[in-house]
Amino acid sequence: MPKTIRELADDLKVSKQTIQYHYHRLPTKNRHTDSQGKNVISLTAERIIRGKVAKNLIANNQQTGSEKATKTSKENNELIATLIREVADLKSQRDKQLATKDQQISNKDRQIDQLTKLIDQQQQLQLTTVAENKKLRNHIQKLSGLLETSNPVRNQQENDKKEDIHKNKFNKSWWHFW
């Protein structure tokens, strides 16, 4: 069950300000509020804060010497258990994140394979189109070559007809004078 800042401070026998200090330095995903807007400490946040308070207490104990070094083995065992649970939680979160990343990479690999196939198909279509265009150009060149060879014959025939018409006119007009 989530605790308030005061409850956790009482449990750890530290000031409320100490708990608030550590609470406000937690990542936002670990900070929660209840329906009344009060800050509530989740189990994960509690473990983190307990670990930080314990580190501070150990540091203070080392500074002040033997007068604060009277921690019981029970408190040490609780701290160790808390740290072990925190490490286990972090490992499980890491494993979940890695699994998610592996899935995303797998999806990207499939997308890359699909795009590679599409590019290959596009290149094949483009090569086919280029080959067909070459065939059509060759065919058009052959047809234009046939037209060019038939044009001089046609021009000669037209010229012959014009000469015949001109001769006929001339002949008619000559006989006309007699």
Side-chain angles (χ1 to χ4, degrees), residues 44-165:
T44 305
E46 181 180 343
R47 286 185 208 132
I48 294 170
I49 292 172
R50 278 183 185 270
K52 291 183 182 202
V53 169
K55 284 180 187 177
N56 288 343
L57 288 175
I58 291 171
N60 288 340
N61 283 339
Q62 289 174 350
Q63 289 175 358
T64 57
S66 63
E67 55 189 53
K68 288 190 178 180
T70 58
K71 258 189 176 180
T72 64
S73 64
K74 182 180 177 185
E75 289 174 334
N76 286 337
N77 289 340
E78 286 179 14
L79 176 61
I80 291 171
T82 302
L83 292 174
I84 289 172
R85 285 192 301 266
E86 186 177 331
V87 168
D89 286 345
L90 291 173
K91 283 182 179 179
S92 70
Q93 288 176 359
R94 181 200 62 200
D95 292 343
K96 287 178 186 176
Q97 288 176 345
L98 287 175
T100 302
K101 297 298 179 197
D102 288 345
Q103 180 68 29
Q104 290 172 347
I105 290 171
S106 168
N107 288 340
K108 293 298 178 192
D109 286 344
R110 275 188 254 126
Q111 290 173 350
I112 289 171
D113 289 342
Q114 288 174 347
L115 289 174
T116 304
K117 287 178 185 177
L118 289 173
I119 289 171
D120 186 42
Q121 289 174 353
Q122 180 185 8
Q123 289 173 343
Q124 289 176 1
L125 285 172
Q126 192 170 9
L127 288 173
T128 304
T129 304
V130 167
E132 288 177 2
N133 284 344
K134 283 183 182 178
K135 285 181 185 178
L136 288 174
R137 274 193 216 124
N138 289 339
H139 186 70
I140 288 171
Q141 286 176 351
K142 285 179 185 177
L143 289 177
S144 64
L146 288 175
L147 287 175
E148 288 176 4
T149 57
S150 67
N151 278 342
V153 172
R154 191 179 302 151
N155 288 342
Q156 183 63 35
Q157 289 174 350
E158 287 177 10
N159 286 340
D160 289 346
K161 285 182 184 178
K162 286 180 184 176
E163 285 180 19
D164 286 344
I165 291 172

